[in-house]
């Protein structure tokens, strides 16, 4: 096998090499010829252009020289001398002297320009006047006697016709001396200009004869460099220059050999082209050698563009393409060498390649037959074969490692992997299976698979496996969309997920069951479901749900409760736009702005808004939005959504009730104010009207006593005195009642009141009223309270007045005014005496109006004083109580809380009914 | 005591009128006492209008004893009008009333009363008060030359 391979490879290699080389050579040849032709055509055109320019340049130089001679001072001198009969008075020179000078200049010119062979001045009659010839580099002025008349020559007549400064260029022809063509032939070009004197009269011409051979030779240069031939023809097609000199100047020498005879195509093109180059191949013309030809026209006469010369180029292809042919030969030789070398190298390489391939093939075959311990011997291997060998070795290693890994995975997988044969007997039982089912592999292997399946399910399972065996699919999940159950060794069953796959092995099906115990997962799922249910229930109860949306796409999700609040199906997809449509009016504006702020600037919001649900229900909701930022960009907004309609209704109800209450308060206040006004009117009436009759009763009783003394017996007078006493007592009662009433009604001013000072004043007045009494007075100095000074004075008046009154019969009477701290630390004032006192059983009656514990006979009084005191204390938000015992004195305690509401509120007047 | 000096008593209650006259008498005040029984009459008398239009001009009471609670025009209103009129602006006016209301007292003085006396129920005290009043206004006090 190796030998055949070797030969095949070598042959293929050699063939490939030869084909490649041949293709390369052919490509190079074709391309080079094409490129060369283009290049040669371009070069030919360039050579023609150059030639044309060279002719122009030569002619231009000659023209300048002719104009120079025409303008030299001797020329003007000669004219002046001729006009003046041989003497130029202006320059003090004779005619001959000027001629000599002109000869001098012409000599010098001809020496410098070897192409010029003659320079002349010919006068207006055609007579040569000055003539310098140049021959073989020597110049000589022609003596006077040798000068000829050229009047009949065309160049003279033409030049004489020209305007001053214009140039005449003659056709290029053979020179004639004395009318005969000079031999050897001298192709000559004449360039002339007229001499015009100051009067505009023509005085002859200046003319230079140019040796045209040199001019014609010079144009050959660039074309000959290409290896081509050059011809020059005039406008009539006569050759001026030809490789065969015998074919030139036919018009001078009397034969008609022209361009159209030898080059008809060029002659044709010459009619309308200034320059022309083309390649002519030999197709269809056996006698024509392939060549390049072309021309360029040079118009030499500035006055007549139809007078021209054409430089003709002719380049045989054999010469032009000689380099290509040489290259072709070289390439062929090179190709042969490369092909031979390729075949040789191919042979050597093929030998090495074949040997390595053989080793690889043999080793791979062994390995395939199970010799996994074998490895490719890499020693003879190089390059790709070595790589191939290494890869093969590596592959075997990987395969072995992979196999080990698979075994490991199977063994240590947490899932149970159980393999069975077609008869449902257990063939493989990994550690996962041992752990899950409780059997050891040794026990399980060989047992029917039924031992792992709940008894109730074994038949169905067997059927299932049989079905699977004949179906085309190779793997399936068992119990799709539902759980299957497994049976442990102890008989307990558990939920599981399983997949089964089958594999054809040695003509029998082998089934592999992957089974996972999902007890824990099920438990977790259930717990999660319970939590979700709890959350959902709580959400439903609280009417609160959660939502979240993507800040970029504005797509989002919400909990079922949010959907329910919207009266939407929880299954429907949602988005911010959709959610926002439920808000209307002002709420819509607020939520739009809040969402924009949240998504763009991460501003959280907490809003209470009105919405119209999908079913048109009007609801109040509270929605809280909290943006979630990542890397400074808001990516999500999430928050809560709560139906607060009921709360809102409650709030509205509260507002309504409050308003109602407020209204009622206003009403009641108005009623109270009206009542107060009535009370005031009543009081006024009492104070005024009730006293008037009393005054009459008293007054007239006294009038009776005074005016009718002696007409009444003593009993009658006693009666009248009783009338008067009752009258006065009633007046007192009225006054006290008014005081009590006023205490309730007057506005309170709150200020700091020096109670001690007031007490001192009151006691002083009492003492003054009854100077005979001896009473020990103890007043704690500096006691102050905040309250209404006038009212507090009335209160102390009554308390101290009472003490004064009830100690009237007490030996060593003592009255105290002081303060103590009560339980909560408040200052409590007291007025204490050691007078008549009272029975604590009647303490409740003490502060009632018109309530008295003593008879007027014992102690006078109206029973209004303490009621008044209590009202004053109450108006100060304070409290008052009394302690006492019969014959042991009494103590009245009261406090006056500082800086509380002053009780001056007209809406809430003191209406104490405990009196 | 010049018989020219007379007292104007503005009092609607006949009892009070009698008692006041008795009190004056008991104090030996013999000056003529003119009585007006309501506020309107008092004003007519003093401004010589209505029933009093023919009264001699320029003859004004030395003192006017003015009750507050009066029919038609009450005492404070009478006082106000008297004080508003150039002729009676400086007329000595003593408020003699049963009212002990602070408000009446304040209003009385504010409107230009020269004195405020509360009628005591005890007639002895009343007599004493009237006595002092008469002594002061009819004997001691020098009235403004314009009255």
């Amino acid at each position: 096998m190796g030998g055949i391979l070797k030969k095949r490879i070598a042959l293929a290699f050699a063939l490939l090499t030869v084909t490649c080389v041949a293709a390369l050579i052919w490509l190079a040849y074709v391309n080079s010829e094409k490129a060369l032709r283009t290049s040669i055509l371009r070069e030919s055109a360039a050579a023609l252009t150059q030639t044309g320019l060279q002719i122009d340049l030569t002619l231009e130089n000659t023209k300048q020289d002719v104009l120079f001679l025409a303008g030299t001072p001797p020329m003007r001198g000669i004219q002046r001398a001729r006009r003046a009969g041989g003497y130029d008075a202006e320059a003090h020179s004779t005619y001959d002297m000027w001629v000599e000078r002109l000869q001098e200049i012409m000599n010098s010119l001809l020496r410098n320009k070897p192409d010029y062979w003659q320079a002349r001045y010919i006068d207006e009659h055609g007579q040569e006047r000055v003539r310098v010839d140049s021959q073989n580099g020597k110049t000589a002025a022609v003596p006077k006697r040798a000068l000829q008349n050229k009047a009949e020559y065309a160049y003279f007549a033409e030049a004489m016709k020209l305007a001053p400064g214009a140039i005449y260029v003659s056709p290029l022809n053979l020179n004639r001396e004395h009318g005969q063509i000079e031999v050897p032939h001298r192709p000559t070009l004449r360039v002339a200009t007229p001499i015009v004197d100051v009067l505009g009269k023509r005085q002859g011409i200046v003319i230079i004869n140019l040796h045209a051979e040199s001019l014609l030779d010079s144009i050959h240069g660039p074309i000959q460099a290409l290896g081509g031939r050059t011809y020059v023809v005039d406008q009539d097609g006569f050759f001026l220059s030809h490789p065969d000199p015998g074919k030139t100047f036919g018009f001078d020498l009397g034969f008609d050999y022209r361009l159209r005879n030898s080059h008809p195509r060029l002659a044709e093109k010459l009619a309308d082209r200034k320059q022309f180059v083309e390649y002519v191949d030999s197709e269809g013309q056996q006698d024509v050698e392939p060549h390049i030809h072309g021309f360029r026209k040079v118009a030499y006469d500035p006055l007549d563009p139809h007078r021209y010369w054409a430089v003709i180029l002719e380049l045989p292809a054999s010469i032009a393409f000689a380099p290509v042919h040489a290259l072709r030969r070289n390439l062929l030789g090179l190709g042969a060498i490369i092909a031979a070398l390729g075949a040789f190298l191919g042979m050597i390489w093929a030998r090495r390649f074949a040997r390595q391939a053989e080793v690889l093939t043999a080793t791979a075959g062994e390995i395939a037959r199970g010799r996994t311990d074998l490895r490719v011997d890499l020693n003879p291997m190089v390059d790709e074969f070595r790589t191939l060998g290494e890869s093969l070795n590596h592959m075997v290693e990987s395969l072995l490692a992979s196999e080990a890994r698979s075994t490991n995975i199977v063994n240590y997988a947490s899932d149970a992997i159980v393999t069975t044969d077609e008869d449902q007997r257990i063939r493989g039982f990994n550690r996962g299976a041992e752990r899950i089912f409780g059997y050891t592999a040794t026990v399980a292997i060989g047992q029917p698979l039924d031992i792992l399946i709940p008894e109730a399910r074994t038949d169905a399972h067997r059927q299932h496996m049989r079905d699977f065996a004949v179906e085309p699919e190779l793997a399936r999940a068992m119990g799709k969309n539902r759980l299957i159950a497994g049976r442990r060794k102890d008989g307990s069953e558990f939920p599981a997920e399983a997949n089964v796959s089958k594999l054809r092995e040695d003509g029998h099906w082998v089934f592999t069951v992957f089974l996972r115990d999902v007890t824990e997962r099920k438990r977790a799922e259930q717990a999660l479901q319970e939590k979700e249910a709890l959350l959902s229930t709580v959400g439903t109860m609280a009417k609160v749900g959660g939502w979240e949306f993507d800040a970029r796409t504005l797509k989002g999700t919400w909990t079922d409760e949010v959907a329910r609040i919207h009266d939407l199906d929880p299954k429907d997809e949602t988005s911010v736009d959709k959610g926002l449509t439920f808000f209307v009016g002002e709420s819509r504006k607020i939520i739009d702005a809040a969402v924009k702020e949240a998504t763009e600037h991460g501003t959280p919001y907490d809003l209470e808004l009105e919405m119209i649900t999908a079913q048109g229900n009007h609801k109040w909701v509270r929605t809280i939005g909290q943006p979630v930022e990542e890397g400074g960009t808001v990516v999500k907004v999430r928050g809560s959504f709560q139906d607060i309609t009921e709360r809102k209704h409650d709030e509205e109800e509260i507002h309504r009730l409050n308003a109602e209450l407020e209204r009622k308060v206003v009403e009641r206040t108005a009623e109270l104010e009206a009542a107060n006004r009535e009370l005031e009117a009543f009081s006024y009436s009492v104070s005024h009207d009730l006293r008037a009759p009393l005054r009459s009763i008293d007054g007239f009783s006294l009038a009776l006593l005074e005016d009718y003394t002696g007409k009444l017996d003593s009993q009658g007078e006693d009666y009248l005195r009783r009338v008067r006493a009752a009258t006065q007592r009633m007046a007192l009662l009225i006054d006290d009642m008014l005081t009590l009433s006023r205490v309730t009604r007057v506005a309170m001013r709150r200020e700091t009141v020096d109670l001690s000072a007031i007490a001192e004043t009151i006691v002083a007045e009492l003492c003054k009223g009854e100077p005979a009494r001896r009473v020990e007075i103890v007043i704690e100095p500096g006691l102050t309270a905040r309250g209404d000074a006038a009212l507090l004075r009335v209160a102390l008046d009554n308390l101290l007045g009472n003490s004064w009154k009830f100690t009237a019969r007490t030996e060593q009477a003592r009255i105290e005014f002081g303060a103590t701290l009560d339980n909560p630390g408040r200052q409590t004032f007291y007025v204490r005496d050691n007078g008549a006192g009272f029975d604590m059983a009647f303490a409740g009656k003490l502060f009632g109006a018109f309530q008295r514990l003593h008879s007027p006979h014992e102690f006078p009084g109206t029973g209004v004083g303490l009621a008044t005191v209590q009202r004053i204390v109450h108006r100060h938000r304070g409290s008052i109580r009394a302690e006492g015992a019969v014959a042991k004195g009494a103590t009245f305690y009261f406090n006056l809380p500082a800086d509380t509401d002053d009780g001056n509120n007209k809406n809430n007047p003191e209406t104490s009914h405990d009196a | 005591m010049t018989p020219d000096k007379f007292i104007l008593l503005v009092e609607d209650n006949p009892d009070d009128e009698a008692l006041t006259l008795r009190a004056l008498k008991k104090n030996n005040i013999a000056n003529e006492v003119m009585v007006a029984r309501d506020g309107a009459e008092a004003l007519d008398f003093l401004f010589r209008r209505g029933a009093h239009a023919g009264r001699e001009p320029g003859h004004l009471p030395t003192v006017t004893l003015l009750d507050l609670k009066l029919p038609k025009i009450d005492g404070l209103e009478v006082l106000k009008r008297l004080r508003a009129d150039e002729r009676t602006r400086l007329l000595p006016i003593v408020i003699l009333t049963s009212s002990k209301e602070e408000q009446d007292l304040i209003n009385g003085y504010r409107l230009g009363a020269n004195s405020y006396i509360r009628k005591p129920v005890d007639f002895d005290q009343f007599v004493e008060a009237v006595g002092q009043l008469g002594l002061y206004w009819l004997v001691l006090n020098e009235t403004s030359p314009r009255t």
Side-chain angles (χ1 to χ4, degrees):
Chain A
M1 170 195 163
I4 294 167
L5 188 65
K6 206 184 295 175
K7 279 172 198 157
R8 276 184 190 164
I9 290 169
L11 192 65
F13 196 76
L15 273 174
L16 193 71
T17 313
V18 169
T19 312
C20 286
V21 169
L24 268 172
I25 289 167
W26 183 77
L27 216 66
Y29 170 65
V30 170
N31 281 336
S32 64
E33 193 177 66
K34 201 179 284 175
L36 195 64
R37 185 189 299 168
T38 312
S39 161
I40 288 169
L41 282 174
R42 200 161 45 235
E43 279 176 32
S44 302
L48 285 169
T49 307
Q50 192 187 345
T51 308
L53 289 174
Q54 204 160 339
I55 293 169
D56 280 342
L57 190 65
T58 309
L59 281 177
E60 190 57 34
N61 280 338
T62 310
K63 287 173 188 172
Q64 291 304 324
D65 288 342
V66 168
L67 287 174
F68 162 73
L69 288 179
T72 51
M75 193 59 80
R76 285 199 301 277
I78 288 169
Q79 302 314 324
R80 280 195 301 271
R82 282 182 66 199
R83 273 202 304 278
Y87 183 74
D88 175 16
E90 196 180 309
H92 311 290
S93 297
T94 59
Y95 172 80
D96 291 333
M97 283 162 72
W98 278 123
V99 166
E100 270 173 39
R101 285 187 203 167
L102 186 59
Q103 284 170 339
E104 205 60 41
I105 289 167
M106 285 177 171
N107 263 321
S108 135
L109 180 68
L110 264 55
R111 270 197 301 275
N112 284 327
K113 297 281 180 82
D115 289 347
Y116 297 170
W117 61 267
Q118 193 174 64
R120 286 176 286 176
Y121 164 54
I122 300 170
D123 72 12
E124 62 272 25
H125 307 295
Q127 179 60 49
E128 291 175 340
R129 289 262 185 175
V130 183
R131 172 176 167 176
V132 176
D133 287 350
S134 167
Q135 198 147 14
N136 304 324
K138 288 181 179 162
T139 61
V142 175
K144 210 176 248 176
R145 58 184 184 283
L147 297 174
Q148 302 170 27
N149 191 298
K150 299 291 184 180
E152 71 270 33
Y153 284 84
Y155 59 78
F156 174 72
E158 294 291 333
M160 278 296 280
K161 280 191 250 174
L162 294 179
I167 297 289
Y168 167 78
V169 180
S170 74
L172 202 162
N173 52 17
L174 296 177
N175 187 47
R176 291 164 190 259
E177 290 295 329
H178 305 289
Q180 299 299 311
I181 288 171
E182 197 182 358
V183 179
H185 292 162
R186 195 201 287 248
T188 299
L189 186 71
R190 293 170 192 85
V191 179
T193 190
I195 302 296
V196 182
D197 70 7
V198 284
L199 302 172
K201 210 176 157 195
R202 279 162 181 70
Q203 300 293 341
I205 62 169
V206 172
I207 184 164
I208 290 173
N209 285 10
L210 184 68
H211 205 321
E213 254 171 13
S214 147
L215 175 68
L216 294 173
D217 287 348
S218 75
I219 64 179
H220 293 317
I223 292 166
Q224 275 173 342
L226 290 175
R229 286 190 289 271
T230 318
Y231 309 81
V232 179
V233 294
D234 66 8
Q235 66 274 5
D236 298 320
F238 286 107
F239 284 95
L240 303 179
S241 172
H242 195 285
D244 177 4
K247 290 179 176 168
T248 58
F249 296 103
F251 56 91
D252 267 336
L253 302 170
F255 57 86
D256 190 26
Y257 186 77
R258 301 204 209 186
L259 185 64
R260 61 169 177 260
N261 303 107
S262 58
H263 299 83
R265 176 159 171 80
L266 289 181
E268 181 192 330
K269 287 284 172 195
L270 208 53
D272 53 358
R273 303 282 288 268
K274 183 173 168 60
Q275 180 165 326
F276 174 75
V277 177
E278 71 174 357
Y279 173 75
V280 180
D281 63 18
S282 55
E283 267 175 55
Q285 291 168 285
Q286 292 300 321
D287 56 333
V288 177
E289 187 196 6
H291 65 277
I292 290 161
H293 65 190
F295 61 80
R296 180 182 175 88
K297 287 200 280 198
V298 183
Y300 59 86
D301 185 350
L303 301 173
D304 186 0
H306 297 297
R307 295 178 62 202
Y308 62 80
W309 304 317
V311 181
I312 309 288
L313 172 147
E314 191 178 62
L315 185 58
S318 55
I319 295 168
F321 297 128
V324 179
H325 297 147
L327 180 69
R328 193 188 308 176
R329 279 192 302 276
N330 291 342
L331 284 176
L332 276 173
L334 193 68
I337 293 166
I338 289 170
L341 202 66
F344 179 67
L345 285 173
M347 285 289 285
I348 294 169
W349 186 72
R351 191 175 297 165
R352 290 181 60 188
F353 166 78
R355 201 170 75 237
Q356 295 179 46
E358 277 165 36
V359 172
L360 269 178
T361 313
T363 316
E366 286 296 309
I367 291 168
R369 277 189 287 279
R371 292 283 309 279
T372 51
D373 56 322
L374 275 185
R375 296 291 181 270
V376 178
D377 178 12
L378 293 174
N379 286 337
M381 301 286 175
V382 289
D383 302 336
E384 281 78 6
F385 282 103
R386 194 178 181 86
T387 312
L388 199 61
E390 280 168 357
S391 298
L392 189 66
N393 288 348
H394 182 68
M395 211 163 77
V396 175
E397 300 285 353
S398 298
L399 195 66
L400 291 174
S402 162
E403 219 172 73
R405 259 201 313 279
S406 298
T407 313
N408 214 34
I409 287 167
V410 169
N411 274 336
Y412 294 100
S414 59
D415 290 356
I417 301 173
V418 179
T419 329
T420 70
D421 57 19
E422 282 176 330
D423 299 327
Q424 298 295 302
R425 294 217 165 263
I426 295 170
R427 292 292 169 220
F429 204 74
N430 76 338
R431 295 192 192 179
E434 289 180 337
R435 193 174 50 73
I436 289 171
F437 289 102
Y439 293 101
T440 59
T442 38
V443 171
I445 288 171
Q447 295 285 321
L449 188 62
D450 293 351
I451 63 164
L452 306 179
I453 293 161
E455 279 164 31
R457 293 272 311 144
T458 50
D459 290 343
H461 185 261
R462 274 180 172 275
Q463 186 56 48
H464 179 81
M465 290 302 274
R466 275 197 293 276
D467 291 347
F468 177 55
V470 297
E471 272 169 25
E473 60 180 339
L474 289 176
R476 65 161 62 163
M478 295 173 81
K480 268 181 188 167
N481 295 329
R482 68 182 176 84
L483 286 173
I484 62 157
R487 178 158 61 109
R488 297 188 222 274
K489 189 183 180 186
D490 61 10
S492 62
E493 292 176 13
F494 60 93
E497 268 180 4
N499 287 291
V500 61
S501 66
K502 61 183 178 187
L503 198 67
R504 198 83 178 154
E505 222 172 69
D506 298 331
H508 298 283
W509 286 113
V510 174
F511 299 93
T512 305
V513 178
F514 299 85
L515 180 140
R516 176 172 297 176
D517 181 351
V518 295
T519 312
E520 278 306 312
R521 206 186 73 199
K522 281 285 131 190
R523 198 172 292 151
E525 274 175 13
Q526 193 162 358
L528 193 65
Q529 273 172 5
E530 279 167 8
K531 269 186 190 164
E532 268 180 8
L534 178 64
L535 197 63
S536 174
T537 309
V538 170
T540 308
M541 287 193 294
K543 295 189 178 173
V544 61
W547 51 264
E548 182 177 277
F549 68 81
D550 187 304
R552 268 177 309 106
T553 63
L554 298 184
K555 291 217 178 296
T557 55
W558 58 25
T559 62
D560 294 357
E561 184 56 27
V562 179
R564 274 196 288 278
I565 292 171
H566 283 79
D567 290 334
L568 284 171
D569 188 341
K571 292 184 191 73
D572 288 351
E573 198 175 293
T574 186
S575 70
V576 174
D577 287 342
K578 184 176 173 187
L580 292 182
T581 56
F582 294 97
F583 294 99
V584 290
E586 203 51 37
S587 288
R588 177 65 195 261
K589 285 181 201 158
I590 294 168
I591 188 74
D592 281 349
V595 167
K596 192 172 186 300
E597 272 294 305
T599 50
E600 288 176 8
H601 303 112
T603 315
Y605 60 85
D606 182 350
L607 303 168
E608 291 189 359
L609 301 167
E610 286 180 280
M611 64 178 290
I612 304 290
T613 70
Q615 290 177 10
N617 292 319
H618 179 264
K619 283 185 182 175
W620 272 97
V621 293
R622 178 183 180 186
T623 180
I624 301 175
Q626 190 67 47
V628 180
E629 293 186 22
E630 271 176 26
T633 315
V634 177
V635 292
K636 267 182 195 172
V637 182
R638 61 163 72 111
S640 69
F641 199 83
Q642 185 177 15
D643 183 349
I644 55 166
T645 310
E646 277 180 28
R647 201 195 81 199
K648 276 283 173 187
H649 285 165
D650 291 349
E651 278 176 11
E652 276 165 19
E653 185 65 13
I654 288 167
H655 281 143
R656 200 183 60 72
L657 290 172
N658 271 344
E660 177 83 353
L661 200 62
E662 198 77 356
R663 193 178 58 72
K664 279 185 180 163
V665 165
V666 169
E667 269 178 28
R668 293 286 146 76
T669 305
E671 283 169 17
L672 274 170
E673 278 172 356
N676 236 10
R677 275 195 298 278
E678 276 173 31
L679 191 63
E680 264 174 56
F682 173 74
S683 299
Y684 187 82
S685 190
V686 164
S687 75
H688 197 277
D689 296 353
L690 255 54
R691 290 164 61 86
L694 288 177
R695 219 167 31 248
S696 296
I697 295 166
D698 189 71
F700 290 115
S701 298
L702 185 61
L704 270 178
L705 283 173
E706 285 174 356
D707 294 357
Y708 298 88
T709 316
K711 290 181 184 171
L712 283 173
D713 59 11
S714 58
Q715 195 172 11
E717 288 178 1
D718 180 50
Y719 288 161
L720 280 175
R721 272 188 287 275
R722 282 175 188 267
V723 168
R724 285 196 68 199
T727 308
Q728 281 159 24
R729 179 166 166 72
M730 185 155 175
L732 195 64
L733 271 170
I734 290 169
D735 283 351
D736 284 353
M737 263 174 63
L738 286 173
T739 303
L740 178 61
S741 152
R742 194 177 295 119
V743 158
T744 309
R745 286 180 288 126
V746 295
M748 261 184 51
R749 285 183 302 276
R750 197 167 269 276
E751 59 200 332
T752 301
V753 182
D754 185 345
L755 295 178
S756 298
I758 292 175
E760 294 280 5
T761 314
I762 292 166
V763 169
E765 279 172 11
L766 290 169
C767 290
K768 199 176 158 193
E770 286 181 84
R773 281 191 58 182
R774 288 287 170 267
V775 178
E776 185 190 357
I777 305 291
V778 180
I779 293 172
E780 192 177 325
L783 294 179
T784 60
R786 282 193 64 79
D788 187 288
L791 291 178
L792 291 176
R793 190 198 158 97
V794 171
L796 284 176
D797 231 349
N798 276 290
L799 290 172
L800 291 167
N802 275 353
S803 290
W804 184 265
K805 187 163 68 184
F806 291 111
T807 51
R809 298 176 191 178
T810 309
E811 297 288 323
Q812 294 179 340
R814 176 189 165 91
I815 298 172
E816 278 179 67
F817 172 64
T820 176
L821 288 180
D822 71 353
N823 215 14
R826 284 181 306 179
Q827 196 172 36
T828 300
F829 304 99
Y830 62 86
V831 174
R832 180 175 293 146
D833 64 66
N834 57 352
F838 62 92
D839 184 345
M840 281 297 279
F842 305 114
K845 287 190 165 183
L846 216 49
F847 298 102
F850 307 109
Q851 295 285 346
R852 301 208 69 226
L853 299 182
H854 302 274
S855 73
H857 304 290
E858 289 176 286
F859 298 100
T862 57
V864 179
L866 285 177
T868 304
V869 171
Q870 190 190 44
R871 286 210 179 167
I872 290 170
V873 172
H874 283 175
R875 283 204 70 180
H876 284 81
R877 305 284 178 201
S879 60
I880 184 164
R881 64 189 168 83
E883 277 177 10
V886 175
K888 297 222 172 131
T891 308
F892 289 83
Y893 296 94
F894 63 97
N895 56 44
L896 302 164
D899 290 322
T900 51
D901 183 26
D902 60 9
N904 200 16
N905 189 352
K906 280 241 162 188
N907 288 344
N908 191 18
E910 181 72 40
T911 48
S912 177
H913 294 292
D914 53 6
Chain B
M1 274 189 212
T2 46
D4 276 339
K5 290 188 176 176
F6 72 98
I7 297 166
L8 176 62
L9 174 65
V10 188
E11 174 64 70
D12 66 320
N13 187 333
D15 283 2
D16 275 354
E17 182 191 331
L19 288 171
T20 305
L21 293 175
R22 183 182 168 85
L24 287 168
K25 193 175 156 195
K26 282 188 83 172
N27 282 294
N28 299 315
I29 296 169
N31 299 61
E32 192 184 354
V33 177
M34 302 298 294
V35 179
R37 289 185 174 78
D38 60 56
E41 192 185 350
L43 289 172
D44 281 352
F45 178 85
L46 288 171
F47 294 136
R48 292 181 289 113
R49 301 183 306 207
H52 300 278
R55 207 169 58 82
E56 188 191 338
H59 196 202
L60 289 170
T62 306
V63 65
T64 300
L65 303 178
L66 181 64
D67 192 9
L68 287 183
K69 204 165 181 217
L70 292 169
K72 298 184 183 173
I73 300 174
D74 74 28
L76 288 175
E77 181 62 29
V78 170
L79 178 61
K80 199 161 127 190
R81 294 195 192 176
L82 290 179
R83 289 302 180 231
D85 194 293
E86 192 57 37
R87 291 167 291 177
T88 54
R89 201 163 56 84
L90 299 172
L91 194 68
I93 293 170
V94 175
I95 292 173
L96 190 65
T97 179
S98 317
S99 173
K100 205 182 149 186
E101 285 293 314
E102 197 180 50
Q103 208 56 42
D104 283 341
L105 196 72
I106 292 167
N107 285 335
Y109 278 117
R110 184 175 294 151
L111 290 171
N114 299 78
S115 188
Y116 188 104
I117 293 167
R118 188 184 182 228
K119 297 175 196 166
V121 169
D122 188 328
F123 191 68
D124 291 331
Q125 290 172 26
F126 184 58
V127 170
E128 196 187 330
V130 168
Q132 286 175 3
L133 186 149
L135 181 68
Y136 179 77
W137 287 107
L138 296 171
V139 181
L140 302 177
N141 188 45
E142 288 297 328
T143 53
S144 160
R146 290 193 55 196
T147 56

